Amino acid sequence: MKFSTLFAFAITYTTLVSAQGNFRSANADQAEKLTNDFAKLTPNSPCTDGQQACVNDQFAQCVGGKFQLNSCGGGDLKCVVLPLVNKPGTSITCDTEADRLARLADARGNQSPVQSKVAAPSGGNIADIRKKNADAAEALQNQFKTLTPDSKCTNNEVACVNSQVAQCANGKFALSPCAPGTECAALPLVLKEGTSVACTTEADRVARIDQARKNLK
């Protein structure tokens, strides 16, 4: 079974920020700060077991005091920090740089400079793309509910199985648990057709779907 998600690997963790004032704008600020902090890391940087970060544009998880890096699958995907939609916090996942900038701009109530220059394919527009992506993400979410660790898969395929991120290797899913309080979910991209797989809260997933369908900032 092959799914049309753009991710080769994606895991998210949450970092809380102050709930006072506009938390979505604060989330964007925190996401940018983490992005800058992660840019200083190398595979040999000291870390604490369980710590997650972006290192050399790859998803990095600390195991035994050393970062283990996982590729985002090539193309224009890389490890990024995104602001949550429905509550204070950020998430780490694989996404495009254009999508990252658009999500930051949305969180701040602005239109990103990238978004203003994007020409939607097939004569459509960004609002149509977002609605289509929301429908695709919901369809994937429902399909993921039918999967088990023993379901057939294609190498490098990524899905959600039992609320965990599942990556196919040698025809079998390998499951990676999400951080406490989060679960694996399919999310709509912002600027181009497609979906992503990431760990987030159910409330955040629903908020992103609603945001995409209403083309909310």
Side-chain angles (χ1 to χ4, degrees):
M1 186 178 294
K2 183 71 174 178
F3 298 104
S4 58
T5 175
L6 293 182
F7 284 97
F9 188 83
I11 286 185
T12 302
Y13 83 111
T14 300
T15 302
L16 294 181
V17 297
S18 172
Q20 297 178 350
N22 184 343
F23 73 82
R24 292 194 63 207
S25 179
N27 288 352
D29 292 342
Q30 180 68 7
E32 289 213 293
K33 181 181 183 303
L34 281 173
T35 297
N36 292 332
D37 290 344
F38 291 163
K40 303 172 186 176
L41 298 178
T42 72
N44 296 320
S45 294
C47 61
T48 304
D49 281 4
Q51 178 184 350
Q52 298 171 345
C54 294
V55 178
N56 294 346
D57 291 336
Q58 299 181 71
F59 176 82
Q61 187 164 22
C62 188
V63 179
K66 184 177 178 60
F67 278 124
Q68 291 187 354
L69 274 56
N70 295 277
S71 172
C72 283
D76 56 355
L77 293 176
K78 65 178 184 177
C79 183
V80 299
V81 186
L82 301 178
L84 293 183
V85 171
N86 68 309
K87 68 175 186 179
T90 61
S91 64
I92 290 180
T93 188
C94 293
D95 207 341
T96 66
E97 176 65 10
D99 198 66
R100 182 185 76 85
L101 293 175
R103 290 188 185 277
L104 290 176
D106 279 352
R108 290 170 172 146
N110 302 319
Q111 182 183 51
S112 76
V114 175
Q115 180 178 344
S116 65
K117 297 177 182 178
V118 169
S122 304
N125 55 53
I126 295 299
D128 291 338
I129 289 175
R130 290 186 175 187
K131 292 175 183 177
K132 181 178 180 180
N133 290 349
D135 292 341
E138 288 264 64
L140 270 180
Q141 191 74 9
N142 291 329
Q143 290 179 50
F144 290 161
K145 293 177 181 178
T146 69
L147 298 180
T148 71
D150 297 322
S151 295
K152 294 182 179 180
C153 61
T154 303
N155 284 348
N156 296 320
E157 176 186 347
V158 175
C160 295
V161 178
N162 295 344
S163 298
Q164 300 180 67
V165 175
Q167 187 173 26
C168 187
N170 298 320
K172 183 176 178 62
F173 278 125
L175 274 57
S176 299
C178 292
T182 66
E183 60 185 36
C184 185
L187 302 176
L189 293 184
V190 174
L191 289 181
K192 60 189 289 185
E193 292 185 3
T195 59
S196 64
V197 171
C199 295
T200 189
T201 64
E202 173 63 11
D204 187 67
R205 183 190 74 82
V206 172
R208 290 188 187 278
I209 295 291
D210 187 58
Q211 181 188 44
R213 285 179 171 152
K214 294 180 179 179
N215 198 32
L216 297 176
K217 296 296 184 184

